[in-house]
Amino acid sequence: MDTLISFDGLGELLALPFVQNALVACAVLGLVAGLLTPLIVARGMAFAVHGTAELAFTGGAAALLTGFAVGIGAVAGAVLAGLVFGVLGLRHRERDSVIGVVLAFGLGLGVLMLALYDGRASNKFGLLTGSIVAVDSTNIIVLAVVAVLVVGVLAVLYRPLLFASTDPDVAVARGVPVRVLSLVFAVLIGLTTALAVPIVGAILVLSVMIAPGAAAAQVTASPVRATLLAVLFAEVSLVGGTILSLAPGLPVSGYVAALAFACYLGCRVVASVRARVPAARSS
């Protein structure tokens, strides 16, 4: 257990510039992911997030192979995935099959690109499991630009997005442009997923993009409260996971996933207790 949880030299580690960059990146990512994840859960798009993460991995691998910044490559791959999923799989019954086909192709292509890359093995490993060392000034700039874009779009389109997510049939009947909103939302997912890949890796992106919203949905039906709780859970998972991973020197993704799961499990317990209390009173 000492090798998994340790705080030796944590103060010195927190003073390092790359650690501070990683914490800033995690805080911004937690905000953006927390805002999106309740809508992702409401729309049943967990598999789409997974597929987008794999295409972000492919874009990052292509960037490594060609000498471009990994963050920019991941963003390009994720946005392309979002557009493909939005265009080809707008109907719910087609969505999973389209995502599965594109995901398999993108993952195979990404693995091939990593095999052709003759640089450091840590760069390859970091795409899959995340690495705080990979968060540099370029990542911070890309993160800031994308975060402002995502938050700005949500500020303008949140109400119709929420309407289209919770009751798409009624939204269509009311004249809400559900098709356009689906494309826009798919791109937002792509952008945010691309930001998460360098930090938590392509394998465990779901821990950031799904778990906070799924946890919040267990304890509240209010969209506002669910969003606030999702942001809180995402921040605790990302920032807390990064801090816990520093002293042991282990991949940050495992700690982030563990904290996200703990938030979800805690909310399930709270929901279970709430359900039992009225039943006990009525009996």
Side-chain angles (χ1 to χ4, degrees):
M1 182 63 73
D2 290 340
T3 59
L4 293 177
I5 305 292
S6 174
F7 298 99
D8 293 339
L10 182 60
E12 291 80 359
L13 290 170
L14 290 174
L16 296 175
F18 78 88
V19 173
Q20 294 173 358
N21 285 341
L23 291 174
V24 170
C26 286
V28 176
L29 176 59
L31 172 63
V32 178
L35 292 174
L36 284 177
T37 181
L39 293 172
I40 294 172
V41 172
R43 296 172 74 93
M45 295 184 68
F47 191 40
V49 172
H50 180 57
T52 304
E54 303 302 344
L55 269 294
F57 158 73
T58 304
L64 271 181
L65 185 63
T66 56
F68 287 96
V70 173
I72 296 175
V75 168
V79 171
L80 178 61
L83 289 173
V84 170
F85 296 157
V87 172
L88 298 183
L90 284 173
R91 286 182 292 183
H92 185 72
R93 66 176 181 271
E94 297 179 349
R95 185 190 301 158
D96 284 354
S97 59
V98 169
I99 293 171
V101 170
V102 178
L103 182 155
F105 169 73
L107 185 59
L109 186 61
V111 171
L112 176 62
M113 290 179 180
L114 284 188
L116 295 174
Y117 175 68
D118 57 1
R120 293 185 302 172
S122 60
N123 290 337
K124 302 179 182 182
F125 190 64
L127 276 177
L128 294 173
T129 62
S131 173
I132 60 173
V133 180
V135 181
D136 54 18
S137 58
T138 301
N139 293 109
I140 294 293
I141 293 173
V142 173
L143 183 87
V145 172
V146 172
V148 170
L149 177 62
V150 172
V151 173
V153 172
L154 283 178
V156 175
L157 299 179
Y158 182 78
R159 289 179 64 86
L161 270 174
L162 180 62
F163 190 14
S165 300
T166 55
D167 201 338
D169 293 333
V170 176
V172 170
R174 291 288 185 87
V176 176
V178 174
R179 184 181 181 87
V180 174
L181 289 175
S182 296
L183 287 172
V184 171
F185 191 66
V187 172
L188 294 182
I189 291 176
L191 289 172
T192 307
T193 302
L195 300 182
V197 167
I199 299 173
V200 299
I203 297 176
L204 293 177
V205 161
L206 292 178
S207 63
V208 175
M209 297 296 294
I210 300 298
Q218 296 296 317
V219 295
T220 181
S222 167
V224 175
R225 292 175 185 166
T227 300
L228 292 176
L229 284 174
V231 171
L232 175 63
F233 296 151
E235 295 288 1
V236 168
S237 302
L238 284 161
V239 177
T242 299
I243 292 174
L244 289 176
S245 71
L246 290 176
L250 295 172
V252 66
S253 54
Y255 294 90
V256 172
L259 288 176
F261 180 72
C263 291
Y264 177 75
L265 191 62
C267 289
R268 287 294 297 258
V269 171
V270 170
S272 178
V273 171
R274 283 182 177 177
R276 291 176 182 176
V277 170
R281 289 177 178 175
S282 61
S283 62

